[in-house]
Amino acid sequence: MNVDDYLTEREQVDRIRQWWKENGAWIIVGVGGGLLALVGWNWWQGYQLQRAEQAAAIYSVVSEAAMEERVDEVRVGLEQLESGHAGSPYLQHSRLALAGVLARAGDFGPAVDQLQQVLDEAEDAQLQLIARLRMARVLLAAGELERALEVAQGGQAGVFAAPLREVEGDVLARQGDVAGARAAYEDALADAAAHGGVIDEALVRLKLESLGPAADEGSDAS
């Protein structure tokens, strides 16, 4: 039988009061702290969700404006993301969108600047590869062949190996390096076999054919 069974009801109540007097404050602090932490966490989660939704809404406007070549609206949206949502992935996607609009307008220099920012700041490796590929293409369009070749050949290519090799072939063909261009196009087709749909394989084959048969290089050199 437990000792408490011998206590009178009054003694048990007094004992409970004494225990509460000694420990109650700590219980209140612990419960209160837990509730505050829970409330704070829920508020933070809601705040983060709200900011993500705001960034997504801005990017939606940027994306639509980019498709319609409204460059000023794209710039405004990008500035809003830079000032209020610097950590959002939508910022880098908006820079890609602005670069596309600028490149299509022939403003190659500013387009390259936007792509360089993505390369420097994006945490997503795939996003960096997209920026690198587009930069190589923009530089090629701008006639900056050496720089385009450097970008196309620089670093790991990942799933973008085929399109990067195609750009490399385009640059080498423009430079008159037929053998190098052929090798790059063949590499592009080989890489595309592992990642279907990353390039227009029929177009790359046409580029290869336009270089002439490989035997011609030997006869030219002799």
Side-chain angles (χ1 to χ4, degrees), residues 51 58 75-87 91 95:
R51 285 182 57 78
I58 295 170
R75 288 186 190 278
V76 169
L78 177 58
E79 289 170 0
Q80 289 176 335
L81 288 169
E82 286 176 331
S83 61
H85 304 274
L91 172 59
R95 283 177 175 151

Side-chain angles (χ1 to χ4, degrees), residues 5-21:
D5 293 338
Y6 293 102
L7 297 176
T8 65
E9 183 178 343
R10 178 60 181 271
E11 288 173 327
Q12 290 182 25
V13 169
D14 289 342
R15 214 180 238 202
I16 291 171
R17 285 176 175 171
Q18 181 62 32
W19 181 90
W20 181 256
K21 182 179 179 180

Side-chain angles (χ1 to χ4, degrees), residues 78 89 91-97 99 111-132 134-135:
L78 177 58
L91 172 59
Q92 307 305 334
H93 285 285
S94 294
R95 283 177 175 151
L96 291 176
V112 168
D113 291 341
Q114 292 298 325
L115 294 168
Q116 186 63 58
Q117 280 191 277
V118 178
L119 275 173
D120 293 341
E121 298 177 15
E123 297 180 358
D124 187 331
Q126 297 303 312
L127 206 58
Q128 290 180 323
L129 279 173
I130 291 171
R132 181 178 150 204
R134 294 186 183 181
M135 181 185 290

